[in-house]
Amino acid sequence: MDGTTARPTARARSWWGWGWTDAHPGDAECVAMGALLPGTLARPLPVPRVRDLDVRGPAVEAPQSLAHLVSADPADRAAHAMGKAYRDVARALRGQPGRIPDLVARPADEQGVADLLEWAGDRRIAVVPYGGGSSVSGGVEYRGDAHRAVLSLDLTAMGRVLDVDTAGRAARIQAGALGPGLEDQLRPHGLTLRHFPQSFEFSTLGGWLATRAGGHYATGRTHIDDFVQSMRVVTPAGTSGSWRLPASGAGPSPDRLFLGSEGALGVITEAWMRLQERPRHKASAAVAFSDFTAALRAVRDLAQSDLAPANCRLLDPGEAALSGAAHDGCSVLVLGFESAYEPVAGRLARAVELARSHGGRHDGSTGAGRGRGEAPAGDAAVSAWRAAFLRMPYLRDGLVRMGAVAETFETAATWDRVPALIDEVRGEVGAAALKATGHPATVNCRLTHVYPDGAAPYFTVLAAGRPGGEVALWDDLKAVAGEVLHRHRATITHHHAVGRDHRPGYDRQRPEPFALALRAAKGALDPRGILNPGVLVD
């Protein structure tokens, strides 16, 4: 089956911040948000304009054979200079986006990728693979000066679903397919990948694979890895194509080499992905807890049960208030179940009863529906959380315009370490922010994914900034958080990738023999060192 890309949209993407330009809060909303956080600016920083940047001419020119794939437009280049982390937004607002790529390339097929890599290798040009640009860990920007020029390799022209195996419930999908376009092409077949990260609208299959992205499933198939049948990856040393198999015990998996490789070993061009039927039955509910520790025990028991909720997110009191799920100092557990085959109300009822056995309170209201974007949202707390989940990145950018530090980071640890880990991150990051700014900070926590043996805490930090020094302040706070994570043997990232921002923590986390093997793979597959330099290994 030959697929088609989704219908183009007339909306404009923000070059400096999250998402769509028309969805960002206006100045008045920014001021109102800033008033809730002591130490912020009196008025918002102006929205940055590309024409005010110092965008110099490209250091290289593409050969005639590749010129039709390449753009040197300043606005195009600026939009590919960085991702969407707090430090990226803060730098853009100050007119300091970092190293702007010399060229942006949009190959339409695998041969185009190979030709661009060959040219870049011959000319000592760094190549930074780019999907939707939603990286929040410094994964799509070039840092340093070791290369003659920088090429941003944008895969979004490769966005088709090429084949669908309805009997085997799998599809061959190009890596540049953005989330909405991917699902639009699967919908006529009654199938879905059902991988919905918060960045779904602005991220690609290739980006998910390259970063081992986490999706909306809070239990079970939490990561994109769980849906991969096979992959094709173009490297400077040749193209790797694994067999499409339901399972294999034949040595180390070639797909595992490239999953999470973040463009440092090769460029993922397509993959066969496992699909499922679209869910027809849904149910959701929210349970309130006065005791966060008791709520943690309830979530652990749910994760260790056979109930398998699709959504099992625990919001601490601060996070519950921030999302509008509760304003009475309670923690809130957001539960959701879905199935293509049978009603799920019974599973939801059993989950609610389990939560009640740990002191949870539920008023009896639930939500049920028949499809993504079509169903009633459920009770008010679930509805509020869902709306805030999608809106939060835009509000983050509004706070950054007010000079605030507003950022998140996530991790994962075993259950025996989770309670102390959460307490120490809150305490130590909060104390560091108070010492640095003279104003109290907000450090909230929620659990985004849970497992029988542990959980993934996700932290939100809101603090007054230092005018002109916001990025350095955040880097200091992130270093404090990193020390707490390392002390508790918690991963430096559960689903946001390593990028450049998490390299120090990753270098400490991985075993040295594995680092040796990774460096050897880098040397063999990318002998000229052009692929996403500085990511994973040097």
Side-chain angles (χ1 to χ4, degrees):
M1 184 208 87
D2 288 331
T4 56
T5 54
R7 184 170 64 252
T9 176
R11 299 180 77 185
R13 284 282 303 273
S14 170
W15 78 267
W16 63 273
W18 187 263
W20 305 111
T21 56
D22 61 7
H24 279 255
D27 287 1
E29 188 176 0
C30 291
V31 171
M33 288 191 294
L36 302 176
L37 190 64
T40 55
L41 303 175
R43 62 179 67 89
L45 295 169
V47 173
R49 302 176 300 184
V50 172
R51 65 174 178 266
D52 294 331
L53 300 176
D54 181 19
V55 183
R56 301 176 183 179
V60 293
E61 183 176 335
Q64 186 174 357
S65 60
L66 299 175
H68 64 292
L69 302 178
V70 171
S71 165
D73 176 71
D76 202 8
R77 292 164 58 198
H80 286 74
M82 56 192 178
K84 302 303 181 186
Y86 163 78
R87 65 189 328 276
D88 303 326
V89 173
R91 286 183 297 160
L93 286 168
R94 298 290 183 179
Q96 302 168 345
R99 177 68 159 85
I100 294 175
D102 296 272
L103 298 169
V104 176
R106 291 182 175 85
D109 53 33
E110 200 170 83
Q111 187 59 54
V113 174
D115 292 344
L116 286 161
L117 291 187
E118 182 179 13
W119 169 64
D122 290 341
R123 300 296 190 276
R124 199 167 55 84
I125 299 170
V127 178
V128 180
Y130 189 100
S134 62
S135 170
V136 291
S137 58
V140 294
E141 67 173 286
Y142 179 82
R143 297 178 189 173
D145 56 5
H147 294 79
R148 176 186 177 190
V150 179
L151 174 72
S152 179
L153 186 63
D154 186 320
L155 276 295
T156 53
M158 299 171 63
R160 293 189 299 157
V161 173
L162 300 172
D163 196 6
V164 176
D165 174 4
T166 54
R169 294 202 310 190
R172 178 177 160 229
I173 307 170
Q174 290 183 306
L178 289 156
L182 186 160
E183 289 291 337
D184 284 348
Q185 294 175 73
L186 295 177
R187 188 171 288 106
H189 303 274
L191 297 171
T192 175
L193 179 60
R194 204 121 189 94
H195 181 80
F196 298 123
Q198 190 177 38
S199 62
F200 171 77
E201 196 174 4
F202 309 109
S203 54
T204 62
L205 174 64
W208 301 340
L209 296 169
T211 61
R212 299 184 64 195
H216 86 295
Y217 284 115
T219 66
R221 294 166 294 185
T222 59
H223 283 73
I224 194 67
D225 316 29
D226 302 313
F227 300 96
V228 176
Q229 273 191 334
S230 68
M231 293 166 54
R232 286 185 64 83
V233 185
V234 176
T235 81
T239 299
S240 170
S242 61
W243 290 8
R244 182 188 167 204
L245 296 167
S248 174
S253 165
D255 295 334
R256 288 286 175 182
L257 176 64
F258 295 107
L259 283 167
S261 62
E262 302 188 26
L265 302 180
V267 180
I268 299 168
T269 55
E270 64 179 60
W272 273 96
M273 303 297 295
R274 298 182 178 95
L275 307 177
Q276 54 195 299
E277 292 187 27
R278 306 185 75 82
R280 293 184 289 273
H281 306 277
K282 295 182 180 181
S284 58
V287 182
F289 290 84
S290 299
D291 183 345
F292 184 71
T293 301
L296 286 174
R297 290 194 294 268
V299 172
R300 183 190 63 199
D301 281 1
L302 279 165
Q304 293 173 350
S305 74
D306 62 355
L307 293 172
N311 197 358
C312 186
R313 284 170 166 79
L314 175 62
L315 318 179
D316 76 1
E319 197 72 7
L322 192 65
S323 68
H327 296 285
D328 57 0
C330 287
S331 300
V332 174
L333 173 59
V334 180
L335 290 169
F337 289 83
E338 59 185 47
S339 172
Y341 308 107
E342 60 184 7
V344 294
R347 279 196 287 154
L348 176 63
R350 292 195 296 274
V352 169
E353 282 307 307
L354 190 155
R356 279 176 167 160
S357 73
H358 288 274
R361 304 187 307 279
H362 176 60
D363 64 7
S365 62
T366 62
R370 297 184 56 84
R372 187 172 186 267
E374 302 168 358
D379 61 20
V382 175
S383 179
W385 168 80
R386 187 173 291 135
F389 180 75
L390 298 174
R391 180 72 172 143
M392 197 59 68
Y394 293 103
L395 300 182
R396 185 276 311 261
D397 290 356
L399 279 170
V400 181
R401 287 187 62 202
M402 295 302 298
V405 171
E407 185 58 305
T408 62
F409 63 93
E410 35 69 58
T411 183
T414 53
W415 282 117
D416 59 319
R417 302 175 189 273
V418 166
L421 168 67
I422 293 173
D423 285 345
E424 291 178 28
V425 167
R426 285 173 178 153
E428 295 186 28
V429 173
L434 177 61
K435 181 178 179 180
T437 68
H439 298 282
T442 296
V443 184
N444 296 333
C445 179
R446 66 181 185 266
L447 301 187
T448 59
H449 302 78
V450 294
Y451 305 88
D453 53 347
Y458 189 113
F459 297 92
T460 299
V461 180
L462 303 174
R466 290 193 303 239
E470 297 94 345
V471 172
L473 171 59
W474 172 244
D475 288 346
D476 290 344
L477 297 180
K478 190 70 174 285
V480 171
E483 287 300 318
V484 178
L485 301 189
H486 184 71
R487 190 163 68 237
H488 286 273
R489 297 180 70 84
T491 183
I492 193 63
T493 178
H494 173 264
H495 60 267
H496 279 172
V498 175
R500 292 163 180 83
D501 296 348
H502 293 152
R503 260 299 296 276
Y506 178 66
D507 288 349
R508 297 171 72 183
Q509 179 178 330
R510 68 184 176 200
E512 185 54 31
F514 182 77
L516 291 173
L518 196 56
R519 293 187 194 103
K522 174 74 170 176
L525 297 173
D526 182 23
R528 292 168 170 167
I530 62 168
L531 284 173
N532 220 3
V535 167
L536 297 183
V537 291
D538 294 322

